Amino acid sequence: MGLDRRNFLKIAGLSALFGLGGKAAVDIFAPGELEASMEAVPLTEGKRWAMVIDIQKMDEELMNKVTKACHREHNVPDLGNPKEEIKWIWKEDYEHSFPGQQHHYIGDDFKQGSFLLLCNHCSNPPCCRVCPTQATWQREDGIVMMDQHRCIGCRFCMAACPFGARSFNWGDPRRVLRKEDLKKLNPDYPTNRDYPTRSKGVVEKCTFCAERLAKGQIPACVEAANKVKENALTFGDLADPDSDVRAVLRKHYSIRRKPELGTEPNVFYIV
Amino acid sequence: MYDGGKIITGLIIGIGLFLFPFYYNAGKAAKAPDPELTPKAKEAKVCVMEKAYMTANHFSLLDEWRHTVVRDSNRYFTAENGKVYYKSLQVTCLDCHSNKSKFCDQCHNYMDVNPYCWDCHIVPEEKK
Amino acid sequence: MLETALKGRQIYWGWLIFLLALIGAGLGCYIYQFHEGLRITGMGRDVSWGFYIAQLTYLVGVAASGVMVVLPYYIHDYKAFGKITVLGEFLAISAIVMCGLFVFVDLGNPVRVMNIIMYPSPRSILFWDMIVLNTYLLLNLFVGWNALSAERKGVKYGKVVKTLAYISIPWAFSIHTVTAFLYAGLPGRHYWLTAIMAARFLSSAFCSGPALLILLCLIVRRVTSFDPGKEQIRTLSGIVAYAMILNVFFFLLELFTAFYSQIPGHMHTFEFLFAGLEGHGRLVPWMWTATGFAIISLILLIVPATRRNEDTLAVACASVIIATWIDKGLGLIIGGFTPNPFDRVTDYWPTAPEVMITIGIYALGFFILTVFYKIAVSVKEEVVA
């Protein structure tokens, strides 16, 4: 052989690098090429899902019902302490929903009343920019989606989200079945056997009920709200000028959380 | 050979330990896996793909399903016979094969395979 | 060259065994964390990054500081540093290894770590951080090892090594800039959302790293027969002095912007760190301690007499390390998350298992450092003989 051992090892090493780097290179320079070769159905094109929350029509009881409906639909456990809390939609008072807006002379109604907060499914989401595995990404229909199969639990998205919309599974959520004190808080967990739970070590948040939208159903929170008070929550497509959300936004003044950050949130509040 | 005694002794002990699983289990055969179909599955006659394909490749199918469902929002699968299925392990697959311990676990335990699907996807409650 | 690490005095082996014990304890705690999840740490929904990421941030700085020895040698022909470039490079290696481990123990799903490589996300700074840190590790390993090998054989190292050494200079700046970008581009975290973040990171890196290197050189001089050199330590002390002055100056610039503008979002974190906010003030004594040590270090470093005296210099270096570690290792991360997006304050403090895992990783880093330094020093002692 004309090749000495040193050169052989050099060539073998470089070949291995090229081989291993090949897929990564394809993914960097032609992103999606490999995935595209798998059969893909076009997404709900030309849509931009959004929600309008009419605070005037909501009260504490309705907000509690809505929160419960969402958490029951998605097997979100009650872990009993704020440190490990997982919440997809929740109540928050005015001062803390819109920090910096509140002034001293505001009426008691506003001071004590609550707002309903959830992931804003921003049009320019910082959380998707920072995810190193694209376990969270923005779909063409505007929904900021979660892929629990891919999430490595780095929590960069939680640091990036300016709205505190994301929760992490610090432990196994199914421990509510094993620990006495948590069993009492979650008597019929899992509450929806048609939807998975999560495992420990992944981030979760509201997904605008993507699985329900795919079946032509509205999000669980909107459905629950409509049973009590029509149009307290309005859900629809901003890209469709004739949609309910567009009509509501045209008619009433609305605000969004932290608009100055440029994330373009798609959850609007009628105050 | 230099230090021959130590080497031969070491070799015998090492190879002996290495072959332990074989001669410990010599003559005994683990019970072959015997997956049972539920009445619902028997009635359905066909799975989403042929039995031979599913036995060999169900994990690849599920991997492609989970990718296309979550990431491409493609939630429906058309089988070769034209029937459309909702792509879901716990809602579709386990609807027919609701006896995980007598079906899935049979082969999985035999092969000592621990898919982590069940960490998140809920298993239907089985009657004992 | 590895065989030189297998010969040593009792003190060497004793130290390694002590470190192994700490590594074992840390590993045990990590196995506990792997099973229970990150809930055993002090982190929670509001402060979702904590002690581990803080150590990562600090150690990337220490790793980058290797350039403070390499740059003068190559770019400014400062031949004196030729004696200790290898020590700087080996310090960088052990620091980067610790960085990687701190990321690993902080992941919720570490078994999926290859997802970053399988699904590259060029828009994510974390992706680039992974690339630059690993490349820097390889650069330092390759250059340091080959340079030392050449020294042992009494030959000049080849052009490839030299080229890579030149590349490692801007690369060192880049690793800490990229790490700063992890923080400086997040729209919701006002303590971090400042252009000066990268500059602050670099300046604190270039005082804390060389300060640690000085202390290591003094230790090496004490326990081995290799003397890194009085002139080398003197020059390094000058670098530490300037970098610490810049570091403190940049911090004061931040204070001015926050408190002259009187914008609540800018002020709140400083208030939390230095005075307490909404009744939470656990970090206040720590931050003032850091301030005290920073002032001590500045005095000792600026006054020529105390800078040139190696005993007071050692005190100054230790003060720099303490001050920068508290500021970057505790204040930066916890401060970034406080107050939270809802303007509330949530307490964070590392738990015992979290601290033990951290100690275990530091022990592993020092283990690697000790072994590498043993090799370097043995070779240099050999060459002199």
Side-chain angles (χ1 to χ4, degrees):
Chain A
M1 274 270 255
L3 205 59
D4 70 358
R5 189 168 63 194
R6 191 157 197 201
N7 285 321
F8 175 78
L9 284 172
K10 276 189 200 168
I11 293 174
L14 280 171
S15 315
L17 257 177
F18 270 116
L20 291 169
K23 181 178 190 301
V26 172
D27 268 328
I28 293 180
F29 296 112
E33 275 294 296
L34 292 176
E35 277 90 8
S37 58
M38 289 197 262
E39 184 198 303
V41 169
L43 297 173
T44 43
E45 281 164 14
K47 284 200 188 295
R48 172 101 356 207
W49 294 115
M51 188 183 287
V52 181
I53 300 176
D54 192 338
I55 294 299
Q56 308 275 17
K57 295 197 169 83
M58 301 208 90
D59 60 13
E60 303 289 304
E61 198 191 319
L62 179 56
M63 290 192 202
N64 288 338
K65 278 206 173 84
V66 161
T67 306
K68 202 162 186 187
C70 166
H71 288 181
R72 283 187 73 83
E73 174 82 11
H74 299 107
N75 299 318
V76 175
D78 178 359
L79 296 168
N81 71 81
K83 180 177 174 268
E84 303 174 281
E85 186 175 22
I86 300 175
K87 50 194 185 189
W88 292 26
I89 186 170
W90 67 99
K91 268 184 344 199
E92 186 64 81
D93 64 26
Y94 177 56
E95 185 189 346
H96 297 104
S97 304
F98 300 92
Q101 267 292 324
Q102 174 154 299
H103 54 79
H104 290 299
Y105 312 105
I106 210 162
D108 278 336
D109 277 351
F110 257 117
K111 234 189 225 170
Q112 284 146 18
S114 295
F115 282 74
L116 204 59
L117 302 186
L118 63 159
C119 166
N120 290 300
H121 294 276
C122 304
S123 297
N124 186 12
C127 58
C128 298
R129 270 202 292 288
V130 299
C131 179
T133 59
Q134 290 297 288
T136 188
W137 75 101
Q138 188 177 36
R139 301 189 341 176
E140 274 172 36
D141 61 0
I143 291 182
V144 174
M145 190 61 181
M146 280 302 303
D147 182 354
Q148 310 294 11
H149 304 124
R150 204 184 270 192
C151 178
I152 62 174
C154 73
R155 310 186 300 292
F156 202 179
C157 58
M158 289 176 78
C161 175
F163 305 105
R166 292 166 163 276
S167 314
F168 183 66
N169 283 281
W170 298 98
D172 180 8
R174 291 188 183 181
R175 67 188 183 281
V176 300
L177 295 169
R178 299 189 292 266
K179 307 219 167 144
E180 282 308 315
D181 51 337
L182 294 175
K183 264 196 224 172
K184 292 198 196 93
L185 287 170
N186 300 275
D188 44 1
Y189 182 88
T191 42
N192 181 1
R193 300 197 80 92
D194 288 339
Y195 192 81
T197 66
R198 268 67 60 200
S199 60
K200 80 168 147 64
V202 294
V203 171
E204 61 183 73
K205 67 173 188 73
C206 159
T207 55
F208 264 174
C209 285
E211 76 286 353
R212 286 172 62 105
L213 289 176
K215 290 193 212 148
Q217 297 171 318
I218 53 172
C221 51
V222 183
E223 190 182 74
N226 283 344
K227 285 196 185 117
V228 177
K229 186 91 187 233
E230 283 287 324
N231 300 323
L233 294 181
T234 315
F235 182 82
D237 177 16
L238 286 179
D240 171 12
D242 299 323
S243 64
D244 286 341
V245 278
R246 289 288 294 268
V248 168
L249 288 175
R250 240 178 265 128
K251 191 164 170 207
H252 301 279
Y253 176 68
S254 55
I255 59 174
R256 299 176 297 175
R257 294 170 66 198
K258 305 193 190 185
E260 70 280 2
L261 297 180
T263 63
E264 294 303 314
N266 287 306
V267 172
F268 302 83
Y269 295 90
I270 297 176
V271 290
Chain B
M1 75 183 109
Y2 191 62
D3 262 347
K6 290 187 198 149
I7 292 179
I8 305 277
T9 321
L11 267 176
I12 293 175
I13 296 177
I15 295 181
L17 283 172
F18 186 76
L19 292 175
F20 176 77
F22 295 99
Y23 56 79
Y24 179 78
N25 288 313
K28 304 178 225 165
K31 186 165 156 288
D34 181 26
E36 243 178 64
L37 289 176
T38 59
K40 190 165 183 184
K42 283 193 198 123
E43 209 189 303
K45 286 203 174 48
V46 290
C47 187
V48 297
M49 298 280 281
E50 276 178 0
K51 179 177 170 183
Y53 176 87
M54 288 306 275
T55 320
N57 300 318
H58 61 280
F59 34 83
S60 302
L61 180 101
L62 285 172
D63 193 36
E64 194 191 311
W65 272 20
R66 74 175 184 173
H67 185 100
T68 48
V69 164
V70 176
R71 303 198 70 88
D72 302 330
S73 206
N74 177 358
R75 289 175 187 263
Y76 292 94
F77 175 78
T78 313
E80 264 157 37
N81 63 7
K83 189 159 177 215
V84 174
Y85 293 94
Y86 182 66
K87 289 186 201 169
S88 165
L89 172 65
Q90 70 189 70
V91 172
T92 302
C93 307
L94 294 184
D95 187 38
C96 273
H97 297 295
S98 48
N99 55 345
K100 172 172 174 278
S101 62
K102 295 201 179 75
F103 185 70
C104 319
D105 290 351
Q106 285 290 309
C107 290
H108 290 165
N109 290 343
Y110 183 76
M111 301 294 290
D112 197 23
V113 161
N114 292 307
Y116 60 87
C117 319
W118 317 114
D119 285 352
C120 297
H121 291 283
I122 300 176
V123 178
E125 282 159 338
E126 291 176 64
K127 292 178 275 284
K128 286 293 169 216
Chain C
M1 278 197 302
L2 269 175
E3 78 285 353
T4 55
L6 294 172
K7 287 184 228 113
R9 299 182 344 250
Q10 268 213 330
I11 186 176
Y12 173 68
W13 292 110
W15 171 240
L16 286 183
I17 290 174
F18 168 68
L19 290 175
L20 276 172
L22 289 177
I23 293 170
L27 186 63
C29 284
Y30 181 67
I31 292 172
Y32 172 54
Q33 183 186 281
F34 188 78
H35 279 114
E36 271 299 303
L38 286 159
R39 59 187 298 260
I40 61 143
T41 67
M43 296 185 277
R45 194 179 193 276
D46 286 332
V47 185
S48 47
W49 276 345
F51 211 46
Y52 298 146
I53 297 297
Q55 305 317 306
L56 156 76
T57 314
Y58 188 71
L59 289 168
V60 178
V62 171
S65 71
V67 76
M68 280 293 121
V69 180
V70 173
L71 194 159
Y73 178 70
Y74 282 100
I75 313 271
H76 300 284
D77 232 16
Y78 186 60
K79 289 293 170 219
F81 267 175
K83 221 173 172 192
I84 57 171
T85 46
V86 153
L87 295 184
E89 280 152 358
F90 283 172
L91 173 61
I93 291 171
S94 78
I96 294 276
V97 169
M98 286 195 271
C99 288
L101 286 172
F102 275 117
V103 170
F104 191 79
V105 300
D106 187 65
L107 290 179
N109 243 318
V111 295
R112 294 182 184 173
V113 70
M114 291 305 284
N115 279 354
I116 307 184
I117 298 177
M118 292 203 291
Y119 307 107
S121 314
R123 287 177 79 204
S124 167
I125 301 290
L126 206 61
F127 168 73
W128 292 110
D129 209 30
M130 175 208 63
I131 290 184
V132 294
L133 283 181
N134 283 303
T135 310
Y136 190 66
L137 173 65
L138 291 171
L139 273 174
N140 276 290
L141 268 172
F142 188 81
V143 173
W145 192 263
N146 275 292
L148 192 63
S149 218
E151 191 180 334
R152 194 188 204 195
K153 294 170 192 162
V155 297
K156 283 182 75 111
Y157 43 79
K159 266 217 317 217
V160 176
V161 178
K162 192 162 192 187
T163 313
L164 289 175
Y166 272 104
I167 291 177
S168 79
I169 294 172
W171 206 273
F173 282 87
S174 82
I175 63 169
H176 218 27
T177 307
V178 172
T179 306
F181 282 175
L182 285 176
Y183 303 104
L186 301 181
R189 309 288 175 185
H190 297 290
Y191 187 55
W192 294 337
L193 194 68
T194 166
I196 212 172
M197 188 102 298
R200 275 190 68 192
F201 268 34
L202 286 167
S203 60
S204 63
F206 295 148
C207 59
S208 57
L212 181 59
L213 187 59
I214 289 175
L215 289 178
L216 289 171
C217 285
L218 293 173
I219 293 173
V220 163
R221 184 195 285 158
R222 179 75 65 91
V223 298
T224 73
S225 64
F226 172 67
D227 179 4
K230 270 194 144 35
E231 188 197 336
Q232 285 80 350
I233 290 181
R234 232 192 205 194
T235 313
L236 270 177
S237 69
I239 293 172
V240 175
Y242 275 116
M244 188 60 179
I245 293 170
L246 272 178
N247 187 27
V248 173
F249 179 60
F250 286 159
F251 179 77
L252 295 173
L253 293 179
E254 290 268 71
L255 274 183
F256 177 80
T257 299
F259 286 94
Y260 196 82
S261 71
Q262 287 286 296
I263 294 179
H266 285 244
M267 293 193 295
H268 278 158
T269 303
F270 287 105
E271 287 170 352
F272 166 68
L273 289 174
F274 287 94
L277 197 61
E278 290 179 23
H280 296 266
R282 198 153 185 186
L283 276 172
V284 173
W286 287 83
M287 298 309 292
W288 285 107
T289 306
T291 311
F293 275 107
I295 294 173
I296 293 172
S297 72
L298 279 175
I299 295 171
L300 292 176
L301 285 169
I302 294 175
V303 172
T306 46
R307 186 177 69 246
R308 286 178 198 144
N309 175 317
E310 284 183 351
D311 291 324
T312 46
L313 177 63
V315 173
C317 289
S319 307
V320 164
I321 292 171
I322 293 172
T324 49
W325 185 85
I326 293 175
D327 169 52
K328 218 164 164 185
L330 280 176
L332 179 76
I333 305 298
I334 304 174
F337 286 102
T338 313
N340 69 8
F342 311 103
D343 223 26
R344 284 208 176 87
V345 179
T346 303
D347 245 342
Y348 164 81
W349 203 250
T351 57
E354 201 175 352
V355 172
M356 194 61 236
I357 293 171
T358 304
I359 290 176
I361 295 177
Y362 269 114
L364 185 63
F366 275 103
F367 188 93
I368 294 172
L369 186 71
T370 308
V371 168
F372 269 109
Y373 268 33
K374 177 77 173 62
I375 297 173
V377 163
S378 307
V379 165
K380 288 176 187 291
E381 283 173 344
E382 220 180 81
V383 166
V384 161

